[in-house]
Amino acid sequence: MLKLLATRLMAAIPMMFLVATLVFFLAQLNPVDPAATLLGDDASLEAIAAKRAAMGIDRPLIVQYGDWISSAVTGDLGQNWFNGEEITTELRDRIPVTLSMVFGALTIAIIVGNTLGISAALKAGRWPDRLITVVSSLGLAVPNFWISMVFSYYFGVKLGWLPAIWPTQRPDTLLEWLKPLVLPCTALGISSSAAIARQSRSSMIGVLQRDYIRTALAKGMPVRRVVFKHAIRNAAIPVVTLAGFQLSALIGGAIFIELVFNIPGLGNWGVDAILRANIPVILAFVMVAALTVVLVNILLDLSYAWLNPKVRPE
Amino acid sequence: MTTHLEPEQVDATDAVADAHDDSPKTPSRFWPRIRRNKVAMAGLVFLVLISLVAIFAPFLTSHDAIYATRFQDILFSPGEEGYVLGTDHVGRDLLTRIMFGARYALIAGLEAVAVALIIGVPLGLTIGYFRGWVDRIVMRVVETVVSVPAVVMAMAIIAGLGPGLTNAMLAIGIVYSMIITRLARAEVFAAREELYVDGARAAGAGNNRIMWRHILPNVAPPLIVQTTLLFAQAVLAEAALSFLGLGATSNQASWGRMLRDAQNSIDRTIWPAIPPGLMVFFTIVAFNVLGDGLRDAFSREARGGKVGVGDVEAVSKKSSTKPIPERSLLSLRDLSIRFPRPGTHDDVSVVRDVDLDIGRGEVLALVGESGSGKSITALSLMGLVPDPGRSSAASIVLDGQELVNMDFDDLRSIRGKEIGIIFQEPSAALNPAYTVGRQVAEPLIVHLGMSKAEARRRVIELFREVGIPDPEKRIDAYPHQFSGGMAQRVMIAMALSCEPKLLIADEPTTALDVTVQGQMLDLIGDLARSRGVSVLLITHDLGVVADLADKVAVMYAGEIVEQGELAEVFNDPQHPYTEGLIAAIPRNESRTGSLPTIAGVVPPPWEWPSHCHFADRCAYVTDACRAASVEMRVSKHSLTRCVRADELDLAGVKRAGVVSIATDGGGS
Ligand code: SF4
């Protein structure tokens, strides 16, 4: 198991390197001149040139690239061009916010999605199945940022049940920490729940038609045991794959939710950086997103080994 | 396909498997299927309407989409004259903006999808066709791009191109092209293995021609489905990126821009966000249902049924006319099984009026070609007819207990405990996720209430009895670590674990290697005899029953056609179908010669006539055979379903040239 983990981690390194390289050169194409943006509209050309030299962006690209990569491997991601903060410090504040939202949404999606999907599969072709199928195809199509606006307005502004925007002070209690997460996580989790419900339904239906399910029934096992012991483990494999895929989607989706609820996470930070060509931030933003996805995929691979003995290393 | 801009990816292998599964994959069946799908059609109609609105937007409204036409004092309130949906926070008519927004949505969607296809299709086809190092490098890049969340990657590309609607959709198109590339490549991989490519190559077609003329049409269905789903995503992407301020600018009335404006006044009202949000929502729904409809029309989804049903319904008791023999362990009367006929609303009978009697310690062979209904008959004894099949019987008596109309839990305590079953495909019949030991122990724990440790000890004993070497170690192995023969031994151990009274063996050797078939039959025979278990042995090969069975029931097209003592039936068959099966028994000495088989196959159930089911294949058919339905009647030592039984002199084993009937007994 450890060996599997090690090889997967090793394989992730060239991938992250490729992402970094791709994004570094892409970001250079940005027509916005960050030095000019920084100094404002009435800066002189000389002042801008001096600023560019000070930021080090007048050097040849390849030098800048080598510079960035070599300090990145030591854990130094440089400074935010616009506020001078260390990128790593900013990441330390922002990553937990975004990730708690993403994993909260994923948890909701896995619970709701599987409950709906399995219930539908057990009633395949009958009305509960039809209802769940319709609900999940509608759920898939709900734009998350739009439903966030609706939630924020009704539950936040109108009813005042939950915060409509992110609180500015740090939370003291667990409840205070959880409360502002409820609406964003729910809004973010809707379409992933629907996606997981569909996958879980169809893989459950597929598994229930397998010979080994017939064997279990022929052995006289109760239906509950057949479903929750014999079927679920096999049906889970494609659902786990999808959940990994959904995580990637949720990280992307979080960006929009952050804007609606004014959440100081990675998304708002990244969007702002793109508009102002704040390259160190753009790089860090994409790298963190990619790294999270890669790490979660490694975890998924390990879980396959648990679910499916065939891929378990001997 | 979620609203996080992370498109669902059409599974190439699925679509291909489905496409090849159904050989006459004619486009003529595609249209009726998609047209019958009302939901998909509704989606299509909605999209057509949206397109019309987009095209004729300037003629449908008198307001301006960009400039305010009302003062802010009537802000928001819908329903006012000329402002059906009211205005946004600066006094622009919402309805007008919605109509112009449809233009941006569709154009943006087209742009992204076109970019994705223009890059993805040729790239995917090329690398899939030529493979090699180019394929490896391209796939590396594709996998990397796909590993980053789509919207983040699109944002990185926008960081390079600069913000704006065109650039944003170009970025989305580039990201989605990776998905298209991967799909097209996978399809080509699957397609190029197909014979038609070989055929085309042999016919002298060049690479280009093969790729565009032969492969593309076959990879088109999954591509069409994926493209439709991507269109939905692209519409969403426009809204989402414009919402972030990376797409449409303030003088482009796109739905996403409207939502961004609505966000600015959200502390006062949500209203301006509702119409554009619903438009995005319904447009995505429309594309999705259309995509799903297309997918269903191209392939067939497995339809599930209820788990655990299959209990046998009662029919009016006719059993009084057919008494139950004294030494009988199991007696089945008037069993019928019906299934809905695929593609129609009608039911068809796959089994009709079957009676069976199995005595204590007796082995009954149920013989017939595939399609005769013998396996489903056996499943019905345990209430395991798969949904939506329905079985009914006048009576099923097992050891004095009536199984018809028994409730599920009582029937459950019969399954595995009183009746054990062995299936045809041992590897598929075992659950891949659990060790064989756990699976064999399960009935011991559930039915007999053993502890885990007791059950484990018992399983090791059972494994030893069925001849699994090294049982203490093998008990913790998984099914995939067993050969077919060993897996079947596991199944036998499982079936016998609770000391059942009846063992059903459904083609227990058909899926196994020829070398172990004989051993397996011997094992079943020995175990049954030593335990006094009755056996219902189902097979298509009359040869394999010779050593084992006491009695034989021959089944053809859902009916028992002959039933009697094995030796008598073998020596003097009373039904032409039995004669045919005997002639088909492989001869001991010269197995190489081709066997005389009965011409033709069992017709599908909906083609079964009301007269003798065998008439179309019978060498002795006369007009009398087609006059009326044929009932079972006594003919010498057997019961038979043939009107000419008395006058015909049919060939038994001796005359058919089967020297010894012990064909498969000692392992051939
Ligand atoms: S009834 Fe006629 S057709 Fe049917 S098996 Fe007998 S002889 Fe053949």
Side-chain angles (χ1 to χ4, degrees):
Chain A
M1 210 50 109
L2 272 177
K3 212 176 128 215
L4 181 67
L5 184 67
T7 40
R8 291 302 317 263
L9 282 173
M10 292 302 283
I13 292 171
M15 189 156 212
M16 292 310 297
F17 183 77
L18 197 57
V19 172
T21 311
L22 225 68
V23 176
F24 182 89
F25 288 101
L26 257 175
Q28 303 301 330
L29 294 170
N30 198 318
V32 180
D33 181 351
T37 319
L38 256 176
L39 294 175
D41 284 344
D42 34 48
S44 67
L45 284 177
E46 293 78 38
I48 293 175
K51 187 76 192 169
R52 289 178 62 86
M55 291 165 72
I57 55 174
D58 58 339
R59 295 173 298 160
L61 269 187
I62 195 74
V63 177
Q64 293 184 44
Y65 170 71
D67 207 30
W68 187 84
I69 288 281
S70 54
S71 43
V73 292
T74 67
D76 174 14
L77 294 172
Q79 277 124 26
N80 186 327
W81 283 347
F82 285 78
N83 60 15
E85 289 265 6
E86 282 296 324
I87 302 262
T88 43
T89 317
E90 287 194 284
L91 283 178
R92 211 180 48 222
D93 292 340
R94 288 172 183 273
I95 287 176
V97 175
T98 300
L99 287 194
S100 51
M101 192 162 75
V102 166
F103 283 101
L106 188 65
T107 312
I108 293 176
I110 288 173
I111 295 171
V112 174
N114 282 311
T115 310
L116 291 180
I118 294 170
S119 321
L122 295 183
K123 300 271 180 229
R126 274 151 254 242
W127 71 264
D129 176 36
R130 294 218 189 90
L131 181 70
I132 290 172
T133 305
V134 169
V135 168
S136 53
S137 42
L138 294 181
L140 271 181
V142 178
N144 60 33
F145 56 96
W146 175 65
I147 202 71
S148 300
M149 291 167 76
V150 175
F151 280 3
S152 158
Y153 181 74
Y154 281 106
F155 298 109
V157 177
K158 263 207 134 168
L159 296 170
W161 290 353
L162 290 157
I165 57 164
W166 195 258
T168 43
Q169 319 101 302
R170 286 190 164 273
D172 297 328
T173 62
L174 184 68
L175 191 70
E176 262 181 69
W177 176 74
L178 278 177
K179 254 181 137 181
L181 278 173
V182 174
L183 291 179
C185 286
T186 312
L188 188 55
I190 288 178
S191 65
S192 295
S193 305
I196 290 179
R198 276 164 62 116
Q199 178 63 65
S200 138
R201 171 185 177 272
S202 72
S203 63
M204 193 51 136
I205 286 178
V207 166
L208 287 176
Q209 287 166 337
R210 305 299 283 271
D211 283 6
Y212 53 79
I213 295 302
R214 192 179 59 186
T215 307
L217 287 168
K219 279 196 290 190
M221 297 301 118
V223 171
R224 208 179 320 117
R225 191 179 170 97
V226 172
V227 172
F228 289 99
K229 247 188 131 79
H230 286 271
I232 213 162
R233 202 141 158 193
N234 294 290
I237 296 170
V239 177
V240 168
T241 309
L242 181 75
F245 188 66
Q246 285 303 317
L247 183 101
S248 178
L250 290 170
I251 292 175
I255 296 168
F256 305 95
I257 312 278
E258 287 181 11
L259 183 70
V260 174
F261 289 97
N262 204 11
I263 299 172
L266 293 171
N268 276 335
W269 189 59
V271 173
D272 181 68
I274 287 168
L275 290 171
R276 296 201 279 180
N278 194 346
I279 291 172
V281 173
I282 297 174
L283 278 167
F285 169 65
V286 179
M287 295 293 287
V288 168
L291 191 63
T292 313
V293 174
V294 167
L295 290 179
V296 168
N297 279 317
I298 293 176
L299 282 181
L300 289 185
D301 277 357
L302 296 180
S303 77
Y304 290 138
W306 176 71
L307 287 167
N308 182 1
K310 279 187 210 171
V311 301
R312 208 173 284 171
E314 299 284 324
Chain B
M1 166 190 49
T2 72
T3 50
H4 305 309
L5 296 183
E6 207 64 44
E8 178 188 36
Q9 292 170 33
V10 173
D11 192 335
T13 48
D14 249 24
V16 170
D18 282 343
H20 297 301
D21 156 20
D22 215 11
S23 34
K25 195 194 81 178
T26 45
S28 58
R29 275 175 60 203
F30 173 78
W31 287 113
R33 267 159 127 179
I34 185 84
R35 232 176 298 148
R36 236 186 296 133
N37 187 334
K38 292 198 194 79
V39 182
M41 281 297 109
L44 186 64
V45 168
F46 180 84
L47 293 174
V48 169
L49 286 178
I50 287 283
S51 313
L52 290 176
V53 167
I55 294 166
F56 297 107
F59 307 103
L60 297 175
T61 173
S62 53
H63 298 294
D64 194 286
I66 309 302
Y67 298 104
T69 47
R70 276 308 276 260
F71 294 112
Q72 290 185 29
D73 58 318
I74 62 134
L75 186 71
F76 307 136
S77 48
E80 221 161 297
E81 203 188 327
Y83 293 84
V84 184
L85 295 177
T87 70
D88 68 3
H89 67 304
V90 291
R92 294 176 291 197
D93 179 40
L94 281 180
L95 184 62
T96 305
R97 285 173 71 75
I98 285 287
M99 292 195 280
F100 279 88
R103 288 187 156 187
Y104 288 102
L106 294 181
I107 291 172
L110 275 176
E111 182 190 341
V113 168
V115 169
L117 289 175
I118 289 169
I119 300 175
V121 174
L123 191 60
L125 289 183
T126 313
I127 62 173
Y129 192 77
F130 294 103
R131 311 200 206 188
W133 60 272
V134 186
D135 177 44
R136 280 197 293 277
I137 292 178
V138 173
M139 282 315 286
R140 239 303 126 83
V141 175
V142 168
E143 296 301 340
T144 304
V145 171
V146 174
S147 80
V148 180
V151 61
V152 175
M153 196 65 223
M155 284 166 69
I157 298 174
I158 295 170
L161 301 171
L165 192 55
T166 312
N167 286 349
M169 296 325 285
L170 179 58
I172 286 288
I174 293 171
V175 175
Y176 290 176
S177 74
M178 300 293 137
I179 291 162
I180 296 282
T181 304
R182 203 154 68 162
L183 177 72
R185 171 181 176 271
E187 290 293 328
V188 174
F189 266 43
R192 56 172 285 150
E193 302 305 331
E194 292 294 313
L195 277 175
Y196 60 81
V197 177
D198 296 345
R201 180 166 290 141
N207 277 339
N208 262 325
R209 195 183 150 79
I210 291 176
M211 196 141 75
W212 293 105
R213 294 290 300 278
H214 296 270
I215 291 185
L216 193 60
N218 282 278
V219 303
L223 270 178
I224 292 170
V225 173
Q226 180 78 75
T227 304
T228 314
L229 298 177
L230 278 185
F231 215 115
Q233 291 307 301
V235 168
L236 176 69
E238 181 278 309
L241 292 172
S242 299
F243 178 74
L244 290 182
L246 299 176
T249 57
S250 53
N251 51 22
Q252 291 170 310
S254 94
W255 292 338
R257 187 72 210 181
M258 292 177 73
L259 287 167
R260 185 178 174 81
D261 292 341
Q263 171 74 12
N264 289 331
S265 54
I266 198 157
D267 49 341
R268 282 171 287 168
T269 173
I270 187 73
W271 173 247
I274 300 296
L278 287 178
M279 289 310 290
V280 175
F281 172 69
F282 285 123
T283 310
I284 298 171
V285 171
F287 275 115
N288 282 353
V289 295
L290 182 60
D292 287 350
L294 289 170
R295 183 194 339 230
D296 290 349
F298 282 126
S299 64
R300 294 168 307 152
E301 197 200 345
R303 281 189 60 93
K306 227 168 99 191
V307 212
V309 288
D311 29 317
V312 186
E313 295 154 26
V315 292
S316 59
K317 295 236 175 192
K318 288 189 279 178
S319 48
S320 52
T321 57
K322 298 177 214 162
I324 292 173
E326 208 163 283
R327 281 196 69 252
S328 155
L329 172 75
L330 179 104
S331 291
L332 170 65
R333 292 292 175 269
D334 293 325
L335 174 78
S336 293
I337 304 172
R338 306 168 70 74
F339 273 86
R341 181 180 167 186
T344 66
H345 293 291
D346 305 334
D347 272 1
V348 285
S349 289
V350 297
V351 168
R352 227 197 57 186
D353 294 342
V354 165
D355 300 338
L356 285 177
D357 288 295
I358 305 176
R360 287 169 206 281
E362 196 173 77
V363 178
L364 171 72
L366 185 57
V367 188
E369 290 164 285
S370 64
S372 59
K374 53 197 193 307
S375 291
I376 197 93
T377 299
L379 287 176
S380 74
L381 295 179
M382 303 181 92
L384 284 178
V385 172
D387 204 52
R390 292 283 169 265
S391 55
S392 60
S395 157
I396 304 175
V397 176
L398 176 75
D399 202 15
Q401 223 180 340
E402 178 59 71
L403 304 189
V404 169
N405 271 351
M406 193 179 249
D407 74 56
F408 183 82
D409 272 320
D410 292 337
L411 194 59
R412 198 165 65 62
S413 64
I414 303 270
R415 296 175 179 163
K417 188 155 175 264
E418 318 253 312
I419 308 178
I421 186 163
I422 308 168
F423 295 108
Q424 179 171 351
E425 294 266 5
S427 320
L430 289 165
N431 193 328
Y434 295 99
T435 62
V436 291
R438 269 178 88 167
Q439 296 184 56
V440 177
E442 214 177 3
L444 295 170
I445 295 168
V446 172
H447 290 306
L448 306 183
M450 284 192 190
S451 71
K452 275 194 176 164
E454 277 176 292
R456 192 182 166 86
R457 268 194 303 274
R458 181 79 189 104
V459 173
I460 292 174
E461 277 169 37
L462 283 163
F463 273 21
R464 200 165 285 134
E465 284 172 54
V466 299
I468 296 172
D470 207 1
E472 288 85 358
K473 275 182 91 176
R474 297 298 273 164
I475 190 173
D476 292 318
Y478 286 91
H480 71 274
Q481 296 163 323
F482 283 75
S483 68
M486 280 298 145
Q488 195 61 297
R489 287 172 196 265
V490 172
M491 284 301 294
I492 295 174
M494 188 189 288
L496 293 177
S497 60
C498 294
E499 307 283 337
K501 293 171 184 144
L502 174 68
L503 175 68
I504 300 174
D506 184 2
E507 303 259 9
T509 60
T510 312
L512 302 183
D513 202 273
V514 202
T515 52
V516 299
Q517 289 185 353
Q519 295 169 20
M520 204 58 64
L521 287 167
D522 288 347
L523 178 69
I524 293 172
D526 292 346
L527 288 169
R529 256 189 296 276
S530 66
R531 289 159 187 250
V533 181
S534 306
V535 180
L536 175 61
L537 176 67
I538 295 160
T539 177
H540 64 278
D541 180 358
L542 203 47
V544 313
V545 309
D547 248 11
L548 221 56
D550 305 306
K551 283 188 183 160
V552 62
V554 179
M555 204 163 173
Y556 182 79
E559 294 176 331
I560 302 278
V561 294
E562 179 165 1
Q563 197 168 2
E565 296 291 328
L566 179 86
E568 283 161 346
V569 172
F570 263 48
N571 287 320
D572 186 12
Q574 297 301 306
H575 194 280
Y577 183 61
T578 315
E579 181 188 45
L581 288 178
I582 289 172
I585 296 175
R587 285 150 187 76
N588 242 8
E589 62 275 30
S590 58
R591 297 202 71 153
T592 41
S594 69
L595 293 171
T597 49
I598 311 161
V601 292
V602 185
W606 51 88
E607 285 173 16
W608 295 347
S610 57
H611 52 263
C612 173
H613 286 188
F614 192 56
D616 285 346
R617 296 171 73 191
C618 184
Y620 308 101
V621 60
T622 61
D623 286 346
C625 308
R626 294 202 161 103
S629 69
V630 186
E631 297 305 321
M632 276 301 244
R633 59 206 188 85
V634 179
S635 170
K636 291 197 212 166
H637 42 75
S638 293
L639 281 167
T640 185
R641 205 183 277 277
C642 173
V643 292
R644 300 188 62 199
D646 296 335
E647 46 179 304
L648 290 173
D649 179 26
L650 300 168
V653 273
K654 299 227 174 64
R655 232 188 310 153
V658 183
V659 180
S660 156
I661 57 170
T663 47
D664 264 308
S668 32

